[in-house]
Amino acid sequence: MSIKIKTSLFLAVLLLLTVVIMSLLVLQGIRKNQREQVEQYLAQQASTANIYLMQSLMAEPNKVPRTYLAAKGKAFAKQLEWMSGQTVELYDGAGDAIYKNKPGVLSDGIRRTLSFALKHKTAYLVEGQSLYYLAPLSVGDEQVGVVQFYYDLADNGAFYRQIRQLFVYIGAGTFMLSFLLAYFYFNSLSGGIIRLNRAVHRIREGSYETVRLRRRDEIGELSEGIRTMSERIKHTIRDKDEEREKLKLAVDKLTRLDQQQKQFIGNVTHEFKTPLTSIKAFLDLLDMYPDDEALLKTAKTNIESETQRLYEMVEKVLQLSALEKYEFEFNKEKVDVRETIRAVLNSLQGKLDKFGLVLETDLAEACAETDKDSLTIVLINLLDNAIKYNKTKGRIRVTSAERDGRVAIEIADTGIGIPQAVVHKIFEPFYTVDKNRSRENGGAGLGLALAKRYAEMQGASIELVRSDAEGTLFRIAYPACGTEAGAR
């Protein structure tokens, strides 16, 4: 049952009970007051009767009370009726009627009441709207008779009923008015409690939007407390969700890193095994044929080649591992991209001549906000791949230009190309398109992985633009000097 209904019912019962009890108490007081007034009035009449008896008896020559009542009792009673204005009946000491206003047999009630009055006691009887008041007539200590006064209670009853009816009307009106006023007042209280209860229910269901009650009492303070509590719970849950999401991302990252580490170790083991196997094979042959000059020359050349390949592989593995584990602070500066590209091309000129490759450049003047050493590493790895996987007597074209706040460097070759089915794997460590070609040229599939890591850590991007039968085109883009991206 709603608190509003409970409050309304309790209020109605309380007001009704209050009105009824007050009405009963007032009506009871009125009835008591009427009875006391009648008793007081009739007691006064009885006292007057006794005084008048003494006066009348003193005026008689024969001052015997019983003889006086027997002789002049009727006249005495009529005189009392005239003096009191009430109907009077007179009885002697034996209870026999001396004077009766109305003939008839005494009722049982009057007879019992008369028996009390004959014992020197005052008694009265109420029958319907009639009150019979019987008081002893005494001379000194001797009771000589009983006088009975008749009192009509009709006027008192009518007054009582009128007052009772008035109380019914006034009580009903007061009840309705008080109930309405109290209902609207308590309704605001219960309404506020209901709204707070709904707010708590919404909080329990996970909705933390609450309302603020504009009240300057305890309910208003409770409303503010619930609102503050809801905000704190919402922030706590949000923080918990954020921490849980971070933890989930961390777990996912650790899982991926673990998988990558296992794959990395497997790839390293596999790639290291190849040159080591070749070196071991030549050493075994030298043990078997130590005097073979041709074998010695061939073994020396191959062991030197495989050792150099193994050295480069170890160096790149260490670089890639360091980039995965640590966050380096790079020295960002304004780098002249054209001069940096030229320096890298000069360092690779010997390799270009070895493979008989034609170099074409179109380098515009441009400035990038980056770490010069990182840019050099990226260029060397991309150009090294362009050399290794190019065709004999092929071409390499390097261009650079600044547009839209970025410095774009494109490296195109006329090499073997990359199948579309494996394009998404080319930036993975140890992945090579042509395994045999990689072994011949000392490649281990680490160049593009290193280039991607170094580029991204500088806020740059690297992408494969195209790869088909005519060759491959890579594009890297660095923030230009003075741009917002570069400033970051």
Side-chain angles (χ1 to χ4, degrees):
M1 185 181 294
S2 170
I3 189 173
K4 185 180 292 186
I5 298 177
K6 289 182 179 180
T7 304
S8 300
L9 290 176
F10 175 77
L11 181 61
V13 172
L14 180 63
L15 288 174
L16 183 61
L17 189 64
T18 302
V19 171
V20 170
I21 291 177
M22 289 184 63
S23 301
L24 291 176
L25 291 175
V26 173
L27 290 174
Q28 185 178 3
I30 291 174
R31 187 181 292 277
K32 181 179 179 182
N33 182 262
Q34 286 181 332
R35 183 176 65 248
E36 290 177 352
Q37 288 182 352
V38 171
E39 289 178 355
Q40 185 178 1
Y41 170 74
L42 294 176
Q44 184 178 2
Q45 296 300 325
S47 176
T48 302
N50 275 280
I51 294 173
Y52 181 63
L53 175 62
M54 290 296 296
Q55 291 176 350
S56 299
L57 187 61
M58 295 301 293
E60 292 294 323
N62 182 11
K63 295 182 173 52
V64 179
R66 296 182 183 276
T67 304
Y68 174 76
L69 288 179
K72 296 184 179 181
K74 291 182 180 181
F76 175 76
K78 289 181 178 181
Q79 187 64 26
L80 281 178
E81 285 184 340
W82 178 82
M83 292 173 59
S84 64
Q86 302 292 331
T87 301
V88 175
E89 294 187 2
L90 191 62
Y91 301 93
D92 59 15
D96 296 329
I98 299 175
Y99 172 77
K100 286 182 63 64
N101 187 274
K102 296 180 180 179
V105 181
L106 296 177
S107 65
D108 293 337
I110 293 179
R111 187 175 288 109
R112 287 194 299 273
T113 306
L114 179 60
S115 64
F116 280 101
L118 290 172
K119 295 177 182 179
H120 206 65
K121 297 178 180 179
T122 300
Y124 63 88
L125 171 68
V126 178
E127 291 183 347
Q129 298 295 326
S130 301
L131 186 147
Y132 301 94
Y133 188 89
L134 287 82
L137 285 174
S138 303
V139 176
D141 294 332
E142 180 184 2
Q143 181 176 354
V144 296
V146 173
V147 61
Q148 172 187 305
F149 294 96
Y150 170 80
Y151 189 86
D152 189 0
L153 298 175
D155 292 340
N156 287 357
F159 176 77
Y160 179 80
R161 288 190 296 273
Q162 183 180 1
I163 295 298
R164 185 176 60 187
Q165 190 72 20
L166 186 62
F167 265 99
V168 170
Y169 294 146
I170 295 176
T174 303
F175 169 77
M176 292 301 298
L177 181 61
S178 300
F179 178 77
L180 289 176
L181 293 176
Y183 174 80
F184 286 115
Y185 176 74
F186 286 106
N187 184 55
S188 64
L189 295 178
S190 59
I193 295 174
I194 291 174
R195 292 174 67 186
L196 293 179
N197 182 61
R198 290 173 181 170
V200 172
H201 184 69
R202 287 195 299 270
I203 293 174
R204 187 166 55 243
E205 292 181 347
S207 176
Y208 302 100
E209 298 300 326
T210 58
V211 293
R212 178 182 294 177
L213 301 181
R214 303 292 182 179
R215 301 181 61 94
R216 296 185 177 181
D217 54 14
E218 287 78 3
I219 294 180
E221 294 178 0
L222 179 60
S223 169
E224 184 64 24
I226 291 176
R227 190 189 67 82
T228 304
M229 178 188 68
S230 175
E231 290 294 328
R232 290 183 178 177
I233 292 176
K234 181 168 66 175
H235 292 159
T236 301
I237 292 179
R238 185 180 62 192
D239 294 342
K240 183 189 70 175
D241 291 340
E242 291 177 356
E243 292 298 326
R244 181 171 58 189
E245 189 64 25
K246 291 179 181 178
L247 181 61
K248 182 180 177 182
L249 293 175
V251 171
D252 293 341
K253 186 176 181 180
L254 288 174
T255 303
R256 289 195 304 270
L257 288 175
D258 182 62
Q259 294 175 352
Q260 292 173 1
Q261 184 180 28
K262 291 179 180 178
Q263 183 181 3
F264 185 80
I265 292 174
N267 290 334
V268 168
T269 303
H270 178 74
E271 293 296 333
F272 281 11
K273 187 176 180 181
T274 301
L276 290 174
T277 302
S278 177
I279 293 171
K280 186 176 183 300
F282 279 106
L283 290 175
D284 290 340
L285 287 173
L286 289 175
D287 286 339
M288 294 173 62
Y289 308 101
D291 298 328
D292 191 337
E293 294 294 333
L295 176 62
L296 180 60
K297 184 177 180 180
T298 303
K300 181 180 178 181
T301 301
N302 282 278
I303 290 175
E304 183 180 0
S305 175
E306 293 297 332
T307 302
Q308 181 62 29
R309 179 184 172 202
L310 187 61
Y311 174 80
E312 292 177 359
M313 194 185 305
V314 169
E315 186 178 9
K316 288 188 176 181
V317 166
L318 292 176
Q319 289 181 14
L320 189 62
S321 177
L323 288 176
E324 291 287 347
K325 289 185 177 180
Y326 307 107
E327 293 184 0
F328 293 95
E329 291 185 2
F330 294 97
N331 182 27
K332 283 192 175 184
E333 56 184 333
K334 294 180 180 180
V335 178
D336 188 332
V337 176
R338 182 167 59 181
E339 292 302 322
T340 304
I341 295 174
R342 287 175 177 174
V344 173
L345 291 175
N346 290 333
S347 68
L348 295 173
Q349 189 62 49
K351 217 170 190 181
L352 289 168
D353 295 340
K354 177 182 177 181
F355 288 97
L357 300 176
V358 177
L359 177 64
E360 298 176 358
T361 61
D362 183 10
L363 305 177
E365 185 176 353
C367 176
E369 189 83 18
T370 184
D371 181 77
K372 186 175 182 179
D373 292 337
S374 297
L375 175 58
T376 301
I377 292 173
V378 173
L379 291 172
I380 288 175
N381 280 282
L382 288 176
L383 288 168
D384 189 58
N385 274 4
I387 295 171
K388 289 178 182 177
Y389 298 101
N390 213 323
K391 296 176 182 179
T392 304
K393 304 300 180 179
R395 297 188 311 276
I396 294 177
R397 180 176 175 80
V398 182
T399 64
S400 65
E402 182 177 342
R403 54 179 177 267
D404 299 328
R406 309 281 284 182
V407 178
I409 305 171
E410 294 185 352
I411 300 175
D413 61 56
T414 56
I416 60 177
I418 302 171
Q420 290 297 320
V422 297
V423 166
H424 62 285
K425 295 183 178 181
I426 61 174
F427 291 106
E428 294 179 3
F430 295 104
Y431 181 80
T432 57
V433 177
D434 189 338
K435 300 290 184 180
N436 295 326
R437 186 76 175 269
S438 297
R439 292 190 181 96
E440 291 176 3
N441 299 311
L446 295 172
L448 289 178
L450 275 173
K452 183 176 178 65
R453 297 292 192 278
Y454 273 104
E456 290 180 345
M457 293 179 74
Q458 293 296 305
S461 62
I462 181 169
E463 60 177 328
L464 175 63
V465 179
R466 64 172 175 81
S467 183
D468 49 31
E470 295 181 359
T472 304
L473 172 62
F474 282 94
R475 179 187 295 133
I476 53 177
Y478 280 85
C481 296
T483 63
E484 183 179 352
R488 291 198 301 269

